[in-house]
Structures are given as C-alpha cells and as structure tokens.
C-alpha cells in the first residue's frame, strides 16, 4: 500500500478498540515468568552449552600472543574461539568496530574470545585461565582534548553536518540581547534490565539465532555479512526483549560469539554479556560539548540562533546529532547549526533513547531559559513568542501539525505555573529551596516502510505475523488492537506473532518510529484481507462493514469465519510512503514542567513533582503510551541528576561499568508524575494518523530539572549531571 495522500476516514476512526487504554496482552506472560527471553529458550533448544566472553584488557593496541592451553584443559570446556581460529569474518554494516577483536584491539572490553563449556560456571572459570600478551598503543580518550582535531563528518542518517540560513554572525552581532554559552553532556549507558543475550544453533549450514534485538532485518543482514553466509541461511528470533533503549538496535558480540561457539562445539550455545561488558563492549550515548548563541530583540523575538556540537567516536563512527532540534524548534530568520566529530578510542558511541534530541535539548532548553531571563520574560511566554508553524530553514514547508503552544499553555495551567516566583532563590520550605522549571519537548516523526501478514481461520480468529519487535513498548497490544479494529473482531480473537525473520519485514523498534509504522503495515495487510473476505462472500469491498465478527453490505450479512472456510485466508502487504514527509515537516511536540527542591545546606536535589504534555498524533493505547512517557520522564531525571559514564583518560574505559557505580533513578527518586495527551490525529503521518511518543517523553526533561534547580537556588549548572558538588559553593547563604 502506497501512502502518498493524507488519510481520510477509514475503519480505524471508529475507535472501538484502537485508542482505548487496553491492558498489555503480553503482561501475564511477563509477570508470570513464562515469556521466552533469548537466554531462556528451553522450548527451542535442548542441552545447550554455555559461552563466556573474554573482553580485551586494553583499549588500544594489539594482541602479541594468546595462550589457551590451561583453559582448553579445564573441566567441561568444549571449544574456545578467537580471531585466530574463527575463520574469515566480515564486519556488519551497523557495527563501527569488529565484534571479535584480534590481533588489533579497537576498544576496551572488545570481545577477543569466547569459551564454550558444559556449564556457565565452567566456562567462566576457564576464561580466567586464558593468558593474553598485549602491546598497548596510544589512544585518544579525552573528549575535550580531542575536540580541536574534530572534523566535519560525512552526511549520514540525520541530515547534513552544517546548515545555514540568512546571516547568523551579522544578526547575532547586531542583536540588542545576546546569549553565548557552552554546555556539556556526559557519556551515558543503556542500563536495561535484560543483558545482551543470545542462544544459537546450527542445522547444517543454516543458523538460528534467538537473540535480544530491536531490528530483526538489520540483524539478519549483519550476522550473514559477518559470517560470510547467505542471508536466507540466517533466522533471527526475538519475540521478547527486556529493554533496549537503542542499545539493541544492532547485533552485538553475544550473537556473533554464540554462533561461532555453536559451530565450534557442534551443539547449541547460549551467551550473555555480563553487566560490565554491556557498558564497555556494546554502545553508549556519546558525550557532547555544545555552544549555543541566541540573539533577540528587546521584545523577545529571536533574530539569530546558532548551535554547534562536538562529539567523538571510533574511526568510521558518526556524530551525536545534538543540533537537529534547533533546526526546527524555534523561529528566527538567521540560523546556523554545525556538528563536528573527533576520533576517540572509547567504546562505540551510538543511538540511545532519542539520540540527538535528548542531549541536544539538554543544552538548548537551558539556553532558552537563560535567554528568557536576560529579556525579563516568562520562560513559557518566550517560547510561545518564538513559535513557528513552518520549518524555519524552509519556510515554504509547513508542519503537518504543531501544537507546542497548546502544550505549554495547558501544562502551565495544570501545573500551577502562575505561582512560580521568577526571582531565583525566593521560595523556601523549611531547609529546602524550591523552584519550578519548564522545557519544550520535540522529536521528529519518521515514516518507514513496514510489512505484515494476516491470517483468518475457520473459527474467525485473526493471526498477525510481522518481524516487528516489542522492547516493552506495547507492540503486541497495539498491533492486536489494529487488527481487531480493521477486521471487526474482539481483541481476544487476535493472535500476534512478532520478532521472527521468517515473518514480513517491519520497521522494527527504534527512533520512535515503531508504533505508527508497524500498525500501518498491519493496516495495509488487513485492507487486503478485507478485500479477500468481501470477494469470497460476494460483497462489494467498498461497501463492506466489518463489525462484531460479521461482514455486512447493503441488506446482507455473513459471519467473518464463513469467508475463511476450512483452508483459511491469508493476506500480506506493507505500508510504503510517498513524499508527505517532504512537503510537510512531521514532528511531535510537548512541554515538561518540574518542581524541584534543593537542600540549602547540602545541595541535595529532590524532584517533587513533574508534568508532561504531549502532542503526538493519535494515541493508539493511552495506557501503554502513558507508561512509555512516564518511563522517559524517569530517564530524564537520571540524565539530569546522576547518569554519567566516568572515563579513565589514562587507560580508555568506563570505570563505573556496573549498576553499583552507574547510577540510575530508583523509585525513591521519582515523585508524583502527571501527563496529558492532547487530542489530535495527524492525517499526514500514516493511515493510523498516529506518531511516535516513547522518545518525546525524555526530550527536554533534564533541562526542565536544571531550570527548576536554577529557579530554586539561582545557580545555573551547564555541565550534566547536576550533582551537589556543582552547587555547594554557590548556594545562597543559609539563614
């Protein structure tokens, strides 16, 4: 199905099933422990062996020699695979560094071996017996020191490195009110509950990989390319994922080493990455240095806005897209954005929930707050004054929908923003200094092709098959809701099967593009199935109404199951997009409000309450969407106050590579959270009229916290995370 004109009225608009706050249909399996995760595929694999990954102890250099003798003689050991005996390996398109290192080492904890044994404990014990002689090399591990050598990266996903409209330098120099500040965001890690894990088994020359992966088709192609085998010989299965946040967009060392280990041992092998390897072996959100300059007239209208960002990655990697939201969020005739990329020999930097916008908004939305303060304007009103209904870089291109002003105004009213004292450090509650902060939220909508197969059987049951994944976002449920709405059956008559490369290729889970695109693929397949049903029943498909398990046209009706017969009916299709995203900018918007309290003596920060207002097209399942935004808000608190991968600049690794040292919010850190979805449906986005929301919820949260801390204390922190040591010597005197 080609979607190239705005959606009109269609069966989804009935909203009998779609749009309802439906419980997660996969919830009972997850809460009862019966959901089959990658490391626990006892149903699919009998008598597996266990692999234990050995990570490099240096960050840069080469392996001079590796002695496996003691390890091979250890009890229970079946095989040990290294680069020396793995055979010729390629490198997948989605990995920056090789998944199996040696003799050259690209980063700390790069996998250099996997030990396969009868038990996990035996594999782990044998791994400690491997002796490796390294020749360390000189690496670049200091982000700030490397920035002078940063260069303009080649255009990749996310647009060009630089954009310019008008005369930014001239307009900024002439602006009566100016801001020029630098902000930093740290390296951050994916701390999902389920580690990267894989079970692999060979059947002749065919490989099946049960793994925790967000993008099935990408994974198949990378596994095949790395192993040098045809894609049709690889089956990748990932029906349940215990969190991903972008860290499982691409197959990692666990998948490759499980496959290599299984081939070497001649039996199925399962591999999980210990928690420390998740931080240094896989990917992380790269640190940034961001310079933001804003010029405005005395009425508060932005006349010049410039945003420059520096980040680093391994050779061949890409930049953190921290300037992208600045290209679209606020008006201003004279504009400039720029990204520069330095080579760092740290573990691979890559996507983490809302890559680009999350760290970019951490800086931009503090800068907007600072500018409002310089102008003597309320921060909400300053944002409203500089709203735009067109792409500021391409004024001929309107937004398909843009309700940022409504988000700000409705949120301010709900939150009680009028009670905020604009003078920092003015509100006291006992020993606590109390303040409020606001930030806009922004994240683009990304149309992506997505396919599905739909089956109707003689009982009237509908089965949906697509390689779409569910990383905790509710894919099973919203896909089931879509099929139920389209076919006119109750939800319990729909079965959803996900995460298998033998199913039609979907958009996958990532970039906030999963919900709208995957359900649109199901919509397209259901349209075909409806046509087949109507034809089988002798109805005019244009007149046929599917409801309550019946098909009606004119004065005739028939049970849906009757059309299936004993053999059933099958339809398959995919949603493909035209140019609507080129003629109209498709984005999601929101506003975050935070009240924070800071201990006047110790600098301890407590977030007291939070509100998010989101405008993200039709909300397919308000209960699941609310959970996604609440989770994103929680991650935003972590980004603001605690998350930071500490870099050892001598030896090139993240020191706090476990959940004891890498701090994330716990229940006690999170106060009352409230959220509102604006009632909207975007006909330009898809037949579902929906857009993503899972990443919008994190964008701007950290800045809202930072702005609340400033309002409480008068202290402006521009270097995340906002820890008490950055406040203590600048707090107001304790009365």
């Amino acid at each position: 199905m080609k979607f190239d004109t705005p959606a009109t009225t269609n069966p989804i608009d009935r909203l009998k099933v779609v749009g309802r706050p439906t419980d997660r249909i996969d919830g009972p399996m997850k809460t009862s422990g019966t959901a089959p995760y990658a490391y626990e595929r006892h149903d699919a694999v009998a008598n597996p062996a266990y692999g234990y990954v050995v990570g490099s102890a240096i960050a840069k250099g080469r392996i001079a020699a590796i002695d496996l003798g003691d390890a091979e003689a250890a009890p229970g050991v079946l095989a040990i695979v290294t680069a020396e005996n793995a055979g010729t390996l390629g490198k997948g398109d989605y990995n920056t560094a090789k998944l199996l290192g040696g003799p050259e080492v690209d980063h700390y904890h790069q996998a250099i071996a996997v030990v396969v044994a009868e038990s996990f404990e035996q594999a782990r014990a044998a791994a400690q017996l491997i002796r490796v002689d390294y020749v360390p090399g000189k690496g670049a591990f200091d982000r700030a020191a490397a920035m002078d050598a940063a260069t303009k990266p080649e255009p990749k996903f996310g647009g060009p490195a630089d954009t310019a409209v008008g005369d930014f330098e001239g307009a900024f120099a002439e602006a009566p009110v100016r801001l020029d500040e630098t902000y930093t965001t740290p390296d951050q890690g994916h701390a999902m509950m389920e580690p990267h894990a894989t079970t692999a088994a060979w059947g002749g020359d065919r490989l099946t990989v049960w793994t925790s992966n967000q993008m099935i088709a990408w994974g198949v192609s990378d596994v095949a390319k790395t192993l040098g085998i045809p894609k049709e010989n690889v089956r990748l299965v990932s029906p349940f994922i215990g969190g991903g946040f972008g860290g499982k967009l691409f197959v990692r060392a666990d998948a490759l080493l499980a496959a290599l280990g299984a081939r070497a041992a001649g039996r199925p092998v399962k591999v999980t990455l210990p928690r420390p390897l998740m931080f240094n072996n896989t990917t992380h959100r790269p640190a940034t240095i961001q310079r933001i300059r804003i010029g405005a007239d005395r009425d508060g209208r932005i006349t010049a806005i410039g945003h420059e960002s520096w980040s680093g990655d391994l050779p061949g990697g890409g930049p953190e897209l921290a300037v992208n939201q600045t290209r679209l969020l606020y008006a201003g005739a004279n504009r400039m954005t720029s990204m520069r990329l330095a080579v760092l020999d740290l573990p691979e930097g890559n996507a983490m929930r809302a890559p680009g916008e999350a760290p970019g908004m951490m800086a931009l939305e503090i800068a907007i707050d600072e500018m409002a303060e310089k102008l003597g304007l309320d921060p909400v009103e300053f944002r409203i004054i500089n709203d735009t209904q067109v792409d500021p870089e391409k004024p001929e291109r309107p937004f398909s929908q843009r309700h940022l002003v409504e988000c700000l105004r409705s949120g301010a009213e709900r939150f009680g923003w009028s009670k905020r004292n604009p003078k920092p450090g003015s509100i006291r509650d006992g020993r606590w200094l109390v303040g409020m902060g606001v930030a806009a939220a922004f994240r683009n909508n990304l149309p992506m092709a997505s396919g599905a197969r739909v089956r109707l059987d003689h009982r009237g049951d509908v089965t949906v098959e697509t390689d779409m994944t569910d990383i905790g976002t509710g894919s099973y449920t919203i896909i089931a809701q879509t099929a139920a709405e389209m076919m006119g059956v109750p939800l319990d008559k729909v079965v959803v099967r996900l995460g298998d490369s033998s199913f039609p290729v979907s958009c996958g889970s990532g970039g906030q593009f999963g919900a709208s695109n995957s359900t649109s693929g199901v919509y397209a397949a259901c349209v075909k199935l409806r046509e087949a049903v109507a034809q089988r029943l002798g109805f005019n498909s244009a007149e046929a109404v599917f409801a309550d398990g019946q098909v009606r046209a004119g004065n005739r009706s028939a049970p849906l199951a009757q059309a299936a017969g004993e053999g059933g009916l099958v339809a398959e299709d995919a949603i493909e997009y035209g140019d609507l995203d080129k003629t109209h900018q498709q984005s999601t918007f929101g506003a975050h409000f935070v009240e924070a309290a800071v201990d006047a003596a110790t600098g301890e920060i407590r977030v007291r309450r939070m509100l998010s207002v989101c405008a993200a097209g039709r909300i397919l399942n308000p209960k699941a969407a609310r959970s996604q935004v609440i989770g994103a808000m929680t991650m935003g608190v972590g980004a603001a106050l605690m998350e930071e991968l500490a870099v050892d600049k001598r030896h090139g690794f993240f020191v706090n590579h476990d959940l004891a040292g890498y701090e994330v919010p716990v229940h006690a850190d999170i106060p009352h959270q409230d959220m509102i979805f604006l009632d909207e449906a975007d006909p330009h986005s898809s037949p579902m009229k929906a857009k993503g929301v899972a990443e919008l919820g994190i964008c701007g949260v950290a800045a809202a916290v930072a702005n609340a801390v400033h309002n409480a204390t008068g202290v402006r922190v521009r270097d995340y995370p906002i820890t008490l040591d950055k406040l203590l010597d600048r707090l107001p005197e304790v009365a």
Side-chain angles (χ1 to χ4, degrees), residues 527 530-535 538-546 552-553:
V527 167
R530 285 164 61 103
E531 291 171 351
V533 167
Q535 183 178 13
F539 290 167
N540 183 336
S541 60
E543 298 177 358
V545 175
F546 290 67
R552 301 182 183 89

Side-chain angles (χ1 to χ4, degrees), residues 6 73 118 151 167 220 222 251 294 298 340 402 472 522 532 561 578 635 666 671 675 730:
E118 293 286 354
T151 59
D167 176 14
V220 167
D222 262 15
V251 291
I294 304 174
R298 298 201 181 277
R340 293 295 178 265
R402 180 181 166 115
V522 174
M635 286 187 73
V666 297
M675 75 144 313
R730 295 191 283 165

Side-chain angles (χ1 to χ4, degrees), residues 300-461:
R301 298 196 179 277
I302 294 173
T303 57
I305 185 166
H307 191 165
E308 300 163 89
S309 177
W310 293 262
S311 60
D313 201 359
L314 292 166
E320 180 67 37
L321 306 172
V323 305
N324 277 10
Q325 73 288 321
T326 307
R327 296 171 176 175
L328 291 163
L329 190 50
Y330 296 113
N334 303 285
R335 321 175 63 84
M336 176 273 294
T337 67
S338 173
M339 291 182 286
R340 293 295 178 265
L341 179 65
V343 171
L344 289 177
D345 298 304
L346 295 171
E348 179 181 341
N350 217 310
M352 181 171 162
R353 196 174 197 170
E357 286 94 337
M361 298 284 280
M362 289 170 75
L364 176 65
E365 287 300 290
I366 294 181
I368 291 293
D369 215 65
E370 294 197 66
M371 195 65 184
E373 188 175 32
K374 282 178 174 285
L375 290 160
L377 288 172
D378 179 89
V380 171
E381 288 306 313
F382 179 53
R383 289 171 170 85
I384 290 172
I385 288 170
N386 290 287
D387 185 47
T388 173
Q389 293 298 309
V390 298
D391 179 343
E393 292 190 349
K394 301 170 185 171
E396 72 282 359
R397 185 169 174 249
F399 284 92
S400 61
Q401 286 186 346
R402 180 181 166 115
H403 295 142
L404 175 59
V405 171
E406 292 90 330
C407 290
L408 288 163
R409 286 191 169 140
S410 61
E413 181 179 357
R414 176 83 160 252
F415 198 69
W417 183 257
S418 61
K419 297 177 183 177
R420 171 185 179 269
N421 191 322
K423 183 180 178 182
S426 300
I427 304 298
R428 296 288 293 263
D429 179 10
R431 76 185 198 212
W432 298 95
L433 300 163
V434 182
M436 295 186 190
V438 66
F442 172 90
R443 180 80 167 136
N444 277 329
N445 182 63
L446 300 175
M448 293 184 67
S450 193
R453 182 185 304 126
V454 188
R455 304 177 186 273
L456 174 67
D457 68 17
H458 69 280
R459 297 180 299 271
D461 292 342

Side-chain angles (χ1 to χ4, degrees), residues 647-718:
V647 179
D648 185 317
K649 297 176 183 177
R650 303 161 302 164
H651 303 298
F653 68 97
F654 299 129
V655 179
N656 51 337
H657 48 243
D658 56 36
L659 290 182
Y662 184 81
E663 296 186 11
V664 296
V666 297
H667 288 294
D669 298 307
I670 303 303
H672 176 71
Q673 294 172 307
D674 193 9
M675 75 144 313
I676 303 167
F677 291 118
L678 295 191
D679 185 15
E680 67 170 32
D682 191 340
H684 287 82
S685 66
S686 71
M688 304 299 293
K689 304 174 185 174
K691 293 182 282 198
V693 74
E695 294 181 319
L696 178 68
I698 194 176
C699 297
V701 172
V705 174
N707 294 336
V709 169
H710 171 71
N711 182 242
T713 65
V715 180
R716 182 68 75 180
V717 180
R718 302 184 182 92

Side-chain angles (χ1 to χ4, degrees), residues 231-254:
K231 285 199 297 184
E232 55 269 25
N233 285 8
V234 177
R235 181 185 176 202
L236 198 150
V237 185
S238 188
F240 291 94
I241 304 169
F245 308 127
K248 296 174 181 174
L249 284 171
F250 327 114
V251 291
R252 305 305 308 174
D254 58 292

Side-chain angles (χ1 to χ4, degrees), residues 140-150 184 187 287-289 310-312 342-344 346 647 649:
F141 310 128
D142 188 331
R143 169 191 54 172
M147 291 306 114
D148 288 342
T184 66
D187 297 292
T288 69
I289 299 172
W310 293 262
S311 60
V343 171
L344 289 177
L346 295 171
V647 179
K649 297 176 183 177

